[in-house]
C-alpha cells in the first residue's frame, strides 16, 4: 500500500481524532450542531480513515515495528514544536495519560482556529452575526426600512433581510480591500473567539440551532430599536420595530421553547405599550392578551391590558387587571397604584356595572361585585365567590345592594354545585329584597338539586310572580311539580 506523505498523514490523524470525539458525543450535542447522523456514521468513517494510516515514515528503521496506535501518536501535532507530549498515546489504554495542557496533542478544532486566525478567516455566519451588532449596520437597516423595502409582498421577510445583510457585508469587503489599515469595525469582525467564548455561546444556545439563534438575536435587536424609539416618543416607529421582532422570532423552529415564548410575550407587551401611546386601545388590548397567553403572570402585560380597558371606560374590568398586575411584580410601580386609585374614583362616581338591573352603590363593595361579575363571565366561579364574599364583608348594613351580593354568590355556588350554600345565600337575598325575582329563582334551583322539590316549586312560584316570562323558572317549576307527582320530596 502506498505510504502517505507526513503532512497528509498528520492531517488524517487530526480528522481521526475529531471523528472519535464525535462518535462519543451525545445525540443532543449532535442535534445542536445540526449533525443529523448517527454515532455509527462517525465510527465507520473513523475506521475507514484508520486503514489509510499504515506504519510508515521517512526514517524506515524508525518505522519498523510501529502498530496503528503508535502511527497515530507519532503523527499527531504537539506543542513546543513537537517536543511536548509524554510517552504513550491516547489510543492505548495502558499508556500514561497526558494530563497537562502543554502535553495534550493539538485537536482539529485548535488547528483550524489557529490557522484561520493566521490567515484572517472565519465562517460567513459568524461574520454576519457580528455585522448585525454594528451600529453602522443598524443605521443602514433603518434606512432600508424607511424606503419601504420590507413592505414589498413578493418575498419573505427573511429573504429580504438576508439580502440586506449581504449587501452591507460586501460594502465592508470592498472597504477592507481598499483600506490596508482597515477600520476599527473590521478589526472587531476579524477578532477570533477563545475556546471558552465558544463554549459559553453553545451553552446559551441550548437546544437552538445556529439559524434559530440568529433569529433570536435579530429579534432582540429590533426590540432594542423599539425601546429606543419609545424613549424618543416615536411610537409608530416602535410599533414597526416590535412587529419586526415578532415576525422574526416566529420563524424559530422550536416555537414552544421557554425562551421563545418569554421573548414573544415581551414583544407583544411592548407593542401594546406603543399602541397605548398612539391611543389605539383596541390594538393595545389584543397585544396585551397575546402577551398573557404566552405568560399569564406577566405583570406589565396585565397592567397594559388594564390601561386598554381603562381608556375604553371599562373601569370594572380595568380594576381587575390592575389588581392582578399589582400581585404579579408591579406592586412597587407607582403608576400602577395611581391607576388603581383613579379607577376606584371612576367607579365611585360613574354609572358602574348594571348586571342585575339595579342601581349601583358608591361603595368598594360594589367594586368587588363587579369583579365577581367579570369572573362569572369567564366561568371562574371560585374567584367569583371570593369577590362576592369580599363585597359582603366590606358592605355596610345599609348598603342598598347587599341583596345583590348574596344573590350573585348564590349563582356562583350553584355553578360549583354547592347547593346548600347557594340556598342559604339566596334565602338571605330574598329577606333583604322580598321582590327580587332572581334571588327566588336561584333559591328554587338550589332546592331542586337538594331534592327538596316542594320548597323548590314554591320558590319558583315567587320568582314568577316578579318575572312571569322567565322561561328557566317556568321549566324548573314544571320539573319540580313532576317530581312531586312521582312521589318525591
Amino acid at each position: 500500500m502506498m505510504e502517505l506523505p507526513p503532512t497528509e498523514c498528520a492531517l488524517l490523524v487530526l480528522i481521526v481524532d475529531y471523528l472519535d470525539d464525535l462518535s462519543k458525543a451525545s445525540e443532543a450535542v449532535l442535534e445542536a450542531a445540526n449533525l443529523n447522523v448517527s454515532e455509527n456514521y462517525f465510527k465507520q468513517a473513523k475506521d475507514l480513515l484508520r486503514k489509510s494510516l499504515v506504519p510508515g515514515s521517512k526514517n524506515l528503521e524508525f518505522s519498523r515495528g510501529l502498530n496503528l496506535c503508535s502511527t497515530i501518536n507519532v503523527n499527531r501535532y504537539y506543542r513546543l514544536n513537537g517536543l511536548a507530549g509524554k510517552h504513550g498515546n491516547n489510543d492505548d489504554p495502558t499508556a500514561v495519560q497526558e494530563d497537562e495542557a502543554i502535553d495534550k496533542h493539538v485537536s482539529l478544532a485548535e488547528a483550524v482556529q489557529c490557522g484561520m486566525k493566521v490567515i484572517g478567516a472565519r465562517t460567513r455566519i459568524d461574520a454576519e452575526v457580528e455585522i448585525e451588532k454594528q451600529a453602522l449596520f443598524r443605521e443602514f437597516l433603518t434606512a432600508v426600512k424607511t424606503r419601504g423595502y420590507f413592505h414589498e409582498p413578493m418575498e419573505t421577510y427573511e429573504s429580504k433581510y438576508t439580502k440586506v445583510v449581504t449587501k452591507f457585508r460586501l460594502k465592508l469587503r470592498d472597504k477592507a480591500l481598499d483600506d490596508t489599515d482597515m477600520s476599527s469595525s473590521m478589526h472587531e469582525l476579524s477578532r477570533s473567539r477563545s475556546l471558552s467564548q465558544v463554549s459559553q455561546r453553545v451553552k446559551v444556545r441550548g437546544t437552538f440551532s445556529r439559524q434559530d439563534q440568529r433569529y433570536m438575536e435579530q429579534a432582540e435587536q429590533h426590540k432594542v430599536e423599539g425601546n429606543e424609539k419609545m424613549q424618543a416618543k416615536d411610537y409608530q416607529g416602535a410599533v414597526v420595530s416590535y412587529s419586526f421582532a415578532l415576525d422574526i422570532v416566529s420563524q424559530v423552529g422550536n416555537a414552544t421553547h421557554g425562551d421563545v415564548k418569554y421573548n414573544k410575550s415581551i414583544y407583544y407587551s411592548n407593542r401594546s405599550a406603543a399602541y397605548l401611546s398612539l391611543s389605539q386601545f383596541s390594538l393595545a388590548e389584543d397585544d396585551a392578551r397575546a402577551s398573557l397567553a404566552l405568560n399569564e403572570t406577566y405583570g406589565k402585560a396585565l397592567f397594559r391590558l388594564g390601561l386598554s380597558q381603562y381608556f375604553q371606560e371599562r373601569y370594572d374590568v380595568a380594576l381587575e387587571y390592575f389588581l392582578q398586575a399589582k400581585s404579579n411584580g408591579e406592586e412597587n410601580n407607582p403608576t400602577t397604584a395611581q391607576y388603581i386609585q383613579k379607577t376606584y374614583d371612576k367607579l365611585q362616581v360613574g354609572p358602574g356595572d348594571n348586571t342585575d338591573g339595579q342601581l349601583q352603590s358608591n361603595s368598594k363593595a360594589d367594586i368587588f361585585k363587579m369583579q365577581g361579575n367579570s369572573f362569572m363571565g369567564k366561568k371562574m366561579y371560585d374567584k367569583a365567590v371570593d369577590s362576592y364574599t369580599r363585597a359582603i364583608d366590606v358592605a355596610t348594613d345599609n348598603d342598598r345592594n347587599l341583596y345583590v351580593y348574596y344573590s350573585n354568590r348564590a349563582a356562583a355556588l350553584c355553578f360549583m354545585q354547592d347547593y346548600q350554600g347557594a340556598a342559604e345565600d339566596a334565602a338571605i337575598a330574598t329577606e333583604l329584597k322580598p321582590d327580587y325575582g332572581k334571588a327566588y329563582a336561584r333559591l328554587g334551583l338550589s332546592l331542586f338539586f337538594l331534592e327538596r322539590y316542594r320548597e323548590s316549586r314554591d320558590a319558583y312560584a315567587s320568582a314568577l310572580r316578579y318575572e312571569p316570562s322567565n322561561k328557566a323558572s317556568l321549566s324548573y317549576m314544571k320539573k319540580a311539580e313532576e317530581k312531586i307527582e312521582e312521589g318525591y320530596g
Side-chain angles (χ1 to χ4, degrees), residues 333-350:
N333 187 335
T335 309
T336 303
Q338 177 186 0
Y339 271 95
I340 288 174
Q341 186 57 53
K342 282 185 176 182
T343 310
Y344 276 132
D345 294 342
K346 290 284 186 182
L347 286 167
Q348 289 176 1
V349 299

Short mmCIF file of all heavy atoms in Angstrom, two decimals, residues 333-350:
data_model
loop_
_atom_site.label_atom_id
_atom_site.label_comp_id
_atom_site.label_asym_id
_atom_site.label_seq_id
_atom_site.Cartn_x
_atom_site.Cartn_y
_atom_site.Cartn_z
N ASN A 333 -44.68 49.65 41.59
CA ASN A 333 -44.78 50.59 40.49
C ASN A 333 -45.78 51.70 40.86
O ASN A 333 -46.97 51.42 41.00
CB ASN A 333 -45.24 49.86 39.22
CG ASN A 333 -45.20 50.75 37.98
OD1 ASN A 333 -45.27 51.98 38.08
ND2 ASN A 333 -45.10 50.14 36.83
N PRO A 334 -45.30 52.92 41.01
CA PRO A 334 -46.22 54.00 41.44
C PRO A 334 -47.33 54.26 40.43
O PRO A 334 -48.42 54.68 40.80
CB PRO A 334 -45.31 55.21 41.58
CG PRO A 334 -44.08 54.89 40.78
CD PRO A 334 -43.92 53.42 40.83
N THR A 335 -47.06 54.00 39.15
CA THR A 335 -48.09 54.22 38.12
C THR A 335 -49.24 53.23 38.31
O THR A 335 -50.41 53.59 38.11
CB THR A 335 -47.49 54.05 36.71
OG1 THR A 335 -46.33 54.86 36.61
CG2 THR A 335 -48.48 54.47 35.65
N THR A 336 -48.93 52.00 38.69
CA THR A 336 -49.97 51.01 38.95
C THR A 336 -50.87 51.48 40.09
O THR A 336 -52.10 51.46 39.98
CB THR A 336 -49.35 49.65 39.30
OG1 THR A 336 -48.48 49.23 38.24
CG2 THR A 336 -50.42 48.59 39.50
N ALA A 337 -50.26 51.90 41.18
CA ALA A 337 -51.03 52.39 42.33
C ALA A 337 -51.87 53.61 41.95
O ALA A 337 -53.03 53.75 42.38
CB ALA A 337 -50.08 52.74 43.47
N GLN A 338 -51.30 54.46 41.10
CA GLN A 338 -52.01 55.66 40.67
C GLN A 338 -53.27 55.30 39.89
O GLN A 338 -54.35 55.88 40.12
CB GLN A 338 -51.07 56.50 39.80
CG GLN A 338 -51.70 57.76 39.23
CD GLN A 338 -50.77 58.49 38.25
OE1 GLN A 338 -49.66 58.05 38.01
NE2 GLN A 338 -51.25 59.58 37.69
N TYR A 339 -53.15 54.33 38.98
CA TYR A 339 -54.32 53.97 38.17
C TYR A 339 -55.34 53.15 38.95
O TYR A 339 -56.54 53.19 38.64
CB TYR A 339 -53.89 53.24 36.90
CG TYR A 339 -53.63 54.21 35.77
CD1 TYR A 339 -52.35 54.67 35.51
CD2 TYR A 339 -54.68 54.69 35.00
CE1 TYR A 339 -52.11 55.60 34.49
CE2 TYR A 339 -54.46 55.61 33.98
CZ TYR A 339 -53.17 56.05 33.73
OH TYR A 339 -52.95 56.97 32.73
N ILE A 340 -54.89 52.42 39.95
CA ILE A 340 -55.86 51.73 40.81
C ILE A 340 -56.73 52.76 41.51
O ILE A 340 -57.97 52.62 41.57
CB ILE A 340 -55.13 50.82 41.83
CG1 ILE A 340 -54.53 49.60 41.12
CG2 ILE A 340 -56.08 50.36 42.93
CD1 ILE A 340 -53.67 48.72 42.00
N GLN A 341 -56.10 53.80 42.04
CA GLN A 341 -56.87 54.85 42.72
C GLN A 341 -57.79 55.59 41.74
O GLN A 341 -58.95 55.88 42.05
CB GLN A 341 -55.92 55.84 43.39
CG GLN A 341 -56.63 56.88 44.24
CD GLN A 341 -57.50 56.26 45.32
OE1 GLN A 341 -57.03 55.43 46.08
NE2 GLN A 341 -58.78 56.63 45.34
N LYS A 342 -57.26 55.89 40.55
CA LYS A 342 -58.07 56.56 39.53
C LYS A 342 -59.31 55.73 39.19
O LYS A 342 -60.41 56.26 39.00
CB LYS A 342 -57.26 56.79 38.26
CG LYS A 342 -56.30 57.97 38.32
CD LYS A 342 -55.65 58.16 36.95
CE LYS A 342 -54.75 59.39 36.94
NZ LYS A 342 -54.16 59.61 35.59
N THR A 343 -59.11 54.41 39.10
CA THR A 343 -60.23 53.52 38.73
C THR A 343 -61.26 53.48 39.84
O THR A 343 -62.47 53.49 39.59
CB THR A 343 -59.71 52.11 38.42
OG1 THR A 343 -58.64 52.20 37.49
CG2 THR A 343 -60.81 51.26 37.80
N TYR A 344 -60.79 53.42 41.10
CA TYR A 344 -61.72 53.49 42.23
C TYR A 344 -62.55 54.77 42.15
O TYR A 344 -63.78 54.74 42.33
CB TYR A 344 -60.95 53.47 43.55
CG TYR A 344 -60.59 52.10 44.06
CD1 TYR A 344 -59.29 51.82 44.49
CD2 TYR A 344 -61.52 51.08 44.12
CE1 TYR A 344 -58.94 50.57 44.97
CE2 TYR A 344 -61.19 49.82 44.59
CZ TYR A 344 -59.89 49.58 45.01
OH TYR A 344 -59.56 48.34 45.48
N ASP A 345 -61.89 55.87 41.85
CA ASP A 345 -62.60 57.16 41.75
C ASP A 345 -63.64 57.13 40.63
O ASP A 345 -64.76 57.62 40.81
CB ASP A 345 -61.60 58.29 41.51
CG ASP A 345 -60.66 58.50 42.70
OD1 ASP A 345 -61.00 58.03 43.80
OD2 ASP A 345 -59.59 59.12 42.51
N LYS A 346 -63.26 56.57 39.50
CA LYS A 346 -64.20 56.49 38.37
C LYS A 346 -65.40 55.63 38.72
O LYS A 346 -66.55 55.98 38.40
CB LYS A 346 -63.49 55.89 37.15
CG LYS A 346 -62.44 56.78 36.51
CD LYS A 346 -63.10 57.90 35.70
CE LYS A 346 -62.07 58.71 34.94
NZ LYS A 346 -62.68 59.82 34.18
N LEU A 347 -65.15 54.51 39.38
CA LEU A 347 -66.25 53.61 39.71
C LEU A 347 -67.19 54.22 40.74
O LEU A 347 -68.40 53.99 40.72
CB LEU A 347 -65.69 52.28 40.23
CG LEU A 347 -65.08 51.37 39.16
CD1 LEU A 347 -64.28 50.25 39.80
CD2 LEU A 347 -66.16 50.79 38.26
N GLN A 348 -66.67 55.00 41.62
CA GLN A 348 -67.50 55.58 42.67
C GLN A 348 -68.36 56.72 42.18
O GLN A 348 -69.39 57.01 42.77
CB GLN A 348 -66.60 56.06 43.82
CG GLN A 348 -66.00 54.90 44.60
CD GLN A 348 -65.03 55.35 45.68
OE1 GLN A 348 -64.81 56.54 45.85
NE2 GLN A 348 -64.45 54.41 46.39
N VAL A 349 -67.99 57.33 41.07
CA VAL A 349 -68.80 58.44 40.56
C VAL A 349 -69.49 58.08 39.25
O VAL A 349 -70.34 58.81 38.78
CB VAL A 349 -67.95 59.71 40.34
CG1 VAL A 349 -67.33 60.16 41.64
CG2 VAL A 349 -66.87 59.47 39.29
N GLY A 350 -69.12 56.95 38.67
CA GLY A 350 -69.67 56.57 37.36
C GLY A 350 -70.90 55.72 37.49
O GLY A 350 -71.36 55.40 38.58
#
